[in-house]
Amino acid sequence: MGTVSRLLLLLLLLLGAPAPAAGSLGEPELCYVLDAVLFLYSLVLTGLYWRLRLTARRWRRAAEQQEEAVYAGLSCGNQETYETLQMKRS
């Protein structure tokens, strides 16, 4: 089970837990709960962002290595870039 799915499960358990009467949370307590939810949300998004950056960097490195391997054996030698086509007459 991944870290993100564990955090989502924990969040669902916290939100789904039976709470005392709706009017019992005063304004300061409600702000604390919302701050905690936003903090967890920011941590999850930051982790996903860095994971995406690191995997993109790995993909870029792998693509560069493959590209270098593809063109490593090619050499132009004395061949011109553009050659004239010779038409055969029959």
Side-chain angles (χ1 to χ4, degrees):
M1 193 176 229
T3 307
V4 175
S5 59
R6 286 182 186 166
L7 285 174
L8 287 175
L9 181 63
L10 177 65
L11 184 63
L12 286 174
L13 288 174
L14 288 175
L15 292 176
S24 69
L25 279 181
E27 192 173 323
E29 290 85 10
L30 184 62
C31 286
Y32 296 146
V33 170
L34 291 176
D35 284 344
V37 169
L38 287 175
F39 181 71
L40 288 174
Y41 180 73
S42 66
L43 287 178
V44 168
L45 284 182
T46 303
L48 290 174
Y49 170 75
W50 282 107
R51 188 173 114 192
L52 182 64
R53 271 192 80 175
L54 293 175
T55 55
R57 189 176 294 162
R58 285 186 208 146
W59 289 340
R60 215 175 303 128
R61 284 184 193 158
E64 287 174 359
Q65 288 175 353
Q66 285 179 345
E67 187 175 306
E68 290 173 4
V70 169
Y71 294 112
L74 300 178
S75 63
C76 293
N78 295 332
Q79 188 177 16
E80 291 183 27
T81 305
Y82 298 102
E83 292 184 14
T84 324
L85 294 176
Q86 303 293 329
M87 295 190 60
K88 295 182 181 180
R89 297 182 187 219
S90 51

